[in-house]
Amino acid sequence: MEKKSPVHLIAPKEVIAWLHATFNMSDTKLSFDLITHDICEIKESSDFNFCNIEVIPLKHRVSSFGFKISEKLIPKKLKIEKLTRDGIKSGPHYNKLQKGEDVLLGTQLLLSKDYTFQSWQTRRVIVCGDNEKPTLLSPWCSDIDVLVHESTFTHTDLHKIGFHTGHSDAKRVSEFAQLQQIPTLVLTHFSVRYHGEHGLESVRREAKHYYSGNLILAEDFFYFFGRKTKVANCTIISLNYSAFFTLIYA
């Protein structure tokens, strides 16, 4: 089945131009609308109907960025007890309130935000490109659930090779994630020297020594299922990993 829904691409204008040129020269026809956004024109964040994306400048030999993605479209639940206390009986207006619509009932304006709450807390993830300085992420990390960050080398190997590479090591990234109390750390972008059987064990050991949270070393075609934290009348209840938290929204 061909994809029909639009795809949003945030990238440098040079990448966007190259992509369109490639499509033209190869006579490629897409089955969906490709909506492009020049990353330099996004000052702080960009709001989509399905998520909010904040752009984070990183440090590398060439321009590199991270993205803080906050989900939206979280189903709402009604505050039935409050509706009952306020003498608001059930009717079609309940459905509208739950959908986020404000309702005029007689002469009374009912605000959806007053009578609903999110089914679960907003899930937030930071996904980084190449970056040699994890601490640059500090202003964005206070409320995130997951950090996806490169760990090209172990700390020892990076010192041998030199910091001119513009990459990070497992020790520094893990120390940062531990300091920021980030629940889940996903490491990526491993040097070819760690490929092969048991090749990543040195990276894993180093990361686990400095980070006590949920550590994942990503592989090709890796999927992550994000934890939902249910909200019920201001009571927080942890649930199992039950919903796929995709980083590409369609």
Side-chain angles (χ1 to χ4, degrees):
M1 181 181 293
E2 288 189 334
K3 180 177 177 59
K4 297 296 184 183
S5 56
V7 171
H8 291 264
L9 171 67
I10 300 175
K13 61 182 179 182
E14 295 83 0
V15 173
I16 295 172
W18 168 80
L19 194 60
H20 284 301
T22 302
F23 289 157
N24 290 334
M25 288 187 290
S26 60
D27 197 29
T28 299
K29 306 296 182 184
L30 301 177
S31 61
F32 53 87
D33 289 333
L34 180 64
I35 304 171
T36 60
H37 308 266
D38 181 355
I39 198 167
C40 294
E41 294 182 359
I42 300 177
K43 300 304 179 184
E44 293 182 356
S45 65
S46 187
D47 252 321
F48 301 94
N49 67 326
F50 44 82
C51 72
N52 174 270
I53 297 180
E54 298 174 65
V55 178
I56 308 170
L58 303 177
K59 186 177 181 182
H60 188 53
R61 290 170 296 171
V62 296
S63 295
S64 185
F65 302 90
F67 301 92
K68 180 176 181 178
I69 305 169
S70 303
E71 71 171 331
K72 296 167 68 174
L73 297 182
I74 301 173
K76 297 180 182 294
K77 292 188 176 182
L78 291 171
K79 297 179 180 178
I80 298 297
E81 292 183 2
K82 179 174 174 57
L83 287 163
T84 302
R85 284 198 308 268
D86 292 350
I88 303 168
K89 296 181 178 180
S90 178
H93 48 280
Y94 269 35
N95 187 43
K96 291 182 178 179
L97 289 171
Q98 192 168 2
K99 289 180 178 179
E101 301 176 23
D102 297 333
V103 177
L104 184 63
L105 187 64
T107 58
Q108 183 180 5
L109 178 62
L110 307 180
L111 301 180
S112 176
K113 66 180 182 65
D114 293 338
Y115 293 100
T116 60
F117 60 95
Q118 291 186 170
S119 297
W120 60 82
Q121 288 182 315
T122 302
R123 291 171 291 178
R124 298 177 174 88
V125 59
I126 291 179
V127 183
C128 295
D130 291 342
N131 179 38
E132 67 174 80
K133 196 173 182 181
T135 54
L136 290 174
L137 302 169
S138 296
W140 290 271
C141 285
S142 63
D143 58 355
I144 66 170
D145 303 287
V146 182
L147 171 62
V148 182
H149 198 286
E150 62 129 306
S151 176
T152 308
F153 306 105
T154 63
H155 192 64
T156 301
D157 286 343
L158 180 58
H159 275 268
K160 290 178 182 177
I161 296 166
F163 287 85
H164 63 279
T165 61
H167 290 298
S168 288
D169 58 85
K171 176 179 181 290
R172 285 187 297 146
V173 178
S174 300
E175 284 181 328
F176 174 76
Q178 183 71 23
L179 180 64
Q180 296 292 325
Q181 297 183 316
I182 299 170
T184 296
L185 174 63
V186 180
L187 298 180
T188 65
H189 196 275
F190 309 112
S191 168
V192 68
R193 70 183 58 226
Y194 307 113
H195 290 191
E197 188 176 3
H198 308 303
L200 287 174
E201 284 309 305
S202 58
V203 177
R204 187 187 305 275
R205 283 197 304 270
E206 182 170 286
K208 287 183 72 68
H209 182 75
Y210 296 98
Y211 176 70
S212 61
N214 180 32
L215 175 66
I216 299 171
L217 273 61
E219 300 176 354
D220 291 343
F221 309 110
F222 168 75
Y223 288 83
F224 179 76
F225 291 79
R227 181 187 296 275
K228 287 181 179 178
T229 302
K230 187 176 179 181
V231 181
N233 293 330
C234 298
T235 300
I236 306 302
I237 306 170
S238 292
L239 297 180
N240 292 328
Y241 285 82
S242 58
F244 174 50
F245 192 93
T246 178
L247 304 180
I248 301 176
Y249 292 83

